[in-house]
Amino acid sequence: GEDVEQSLFLSVREGDSSVINCTYTDSSSTYLYWYKQEPGAGLQLLTYIFSNMDMKQDQRLTVLLNKKDKHLSLRIADTQTGDSAIYFCAESIGKLIFGTGTRLQVFP
Amino acid sequence: EAGVTQFPSHSVIEKGQTVTLRCDPISGHDNLYWYRRVMGKEIKFLLHFVKESKQDESGMPNNRFLAERTGGTYSTLKVQPAELEDSGVYFCASSQSPGGLQYFGPGTRLTVT
């Protein structure tokens, strides 16, 4: 079946790296996405990776994809208080299948 | 280029009333999707339009929900009659091609009292 799982909470100190993990089930996914939702705001497309890639780096963001284990991670380097938000992992099988979201809290 | 827009941003209605949500996709995007997040749960797919045709409506919860996209531009999602469990945030997204990158609107927060 279609299922995407994430841990619910992550708390990190400002300046440290954050790693948010996600597992998915559908091996036919074309894209895998990370969306960010700040309080009171909509879903912001943060980054994405094609299913035939292993890694994608975009400034402070690094996405790693392990297709064998169906595991996706998002690493945020030098985490800032402005990174506090809910991060959603999603797999694309035409429609998007979302995880529950990981609430990232950054403390000074 | 304007992004996906949704109206209203917030709607409060009583149980049994009708509400219509509107989504304007990015210009030129034939694919339009509706999703919703209720009770802090996962964001769930509702349906997918390709131009004015419903490509996939497998996520529509019941016949109280009606989505239209006349003319293949903006879309509306009507809930009639609204129930308490319909409260949540309704998101719209659009993409150029099926399976392509989906860009989301800010969402409409629906509160049914």
Side-chain angles (χ1 to χ4, degrees):
Chain A
E2 304 158 348
D3 195 18
V4 177
E5 294 190 356
Q6 301 177 240
S7 53
L8 292 180
F9 298 101
L10 178 65
S11 183
V12 299
R13 186 179 300 276
E14 190 174 20
D16 288 351
S17 293
S18 307
V19 179
I20 303 172
N21 294 300
C22 168
T23 57
Y24 61 97
T25 54
D26 199 314
S27 57
S28 66
S29 302
T30 51
Y31 291 89
L32 292 131
Y33 295 81
W34 286 102
Y35 286 91
K36 176 183 179 182
Q37 186 178 29
E38 296 180 84
L43 286 170
Q44 174 195 348
L45 178 60
L46 197 59
T47 187
Y48 63 92
I49 188 168
F50 290 103
S51 58
N52 62 356
M53 296 171 64
D54 298 324
M55 185 184 86
K56 178 178 180 181
Q57 188 149 3
D58 183 1
Q59 298 181 333
R60 293 191 296 122
L61 305 178
T62 303
V63 179
L64 295 178
L65 175 60
N66 181 328
K67 286 193 70 174
K68 175 177 171 291
D69 295 336
K70 298 189 180 69
H71 182 266
L72 182 74
S73 68
L74 172 70
R75 179 176 179 269
I76 305 173
D78 187 25
T79 312
Q80 303 297 306
T81 54
D83 294 324
S84 294
I86 301 175
Y87 290 80
F88 291 94
C89 164
E91 60 172 337
S92 173
I93 51 170
K95 63 187 178 184
L96 298 187
I97 308 298
F98 283 87
T100 51
T102 299
R103 183 178 296 275
L104 174 65
Q105 182 179 26
V106 183
F107 59 93
Chain B
E1 178 184 292
V4 178
T5 58
Q6 293 187 244
F7 182 83
S9 57
H10 193 182
S11 179
V12 181
I13 61 171
E14 292 184 352
K15 177 182 170 181
Q17 290 186 321
T18 298
V19 64
T20 300
L21 313 181
R22 173 171 169 146
C23 168
D24 286 77
I26 292 172
S27 178
H29 282 193
D30 288 339
N31 294 269
L32 187 150
Y33 307 80
W34 284 98
Y35 296 84
R36 74 171 182 175
R37 187 180 190 210
V38 296
M39 300 292 287
K41 295 184 179 177
E42 295 94 340
I43 301 167
K44 292 286 193 185
F45 167 82
L46 296 178
L47 90 160
H48 169 206
F49 283 100
V50 178
K51 297 186 180 178
E52 67 274 11
S53 299
K54 292 175 185 174
Q55 180 76 13
D56 180 356
E57 51 184 327
S58 61
M60 294 289 265
N62 52 62
N63 59 8
R64 295 187 294 104
F65 290 75
L66 174 64
E68 294 181 319
R69 194 184 181 195
T70 307
T73 54
Y74 70 91
S75 174
T76 58
L77 179 65
K78 182 192 290 189
V79 185
Q80 179 183 29
E83 297 289 344
L84 297 178
E85 63 264 26
D86 299 332
S87 295
V89 182
Y90 289 75
F91 292 103
C92 175
S94 71
S95 67
Q96 272 193 319
S97 58
L101 289 177
Q102 293 188 27
Y103 295 90
F104 279 75
T108 293
R109 180 172 294 278
L110 175 63
T111 303
V112 183
T113 62

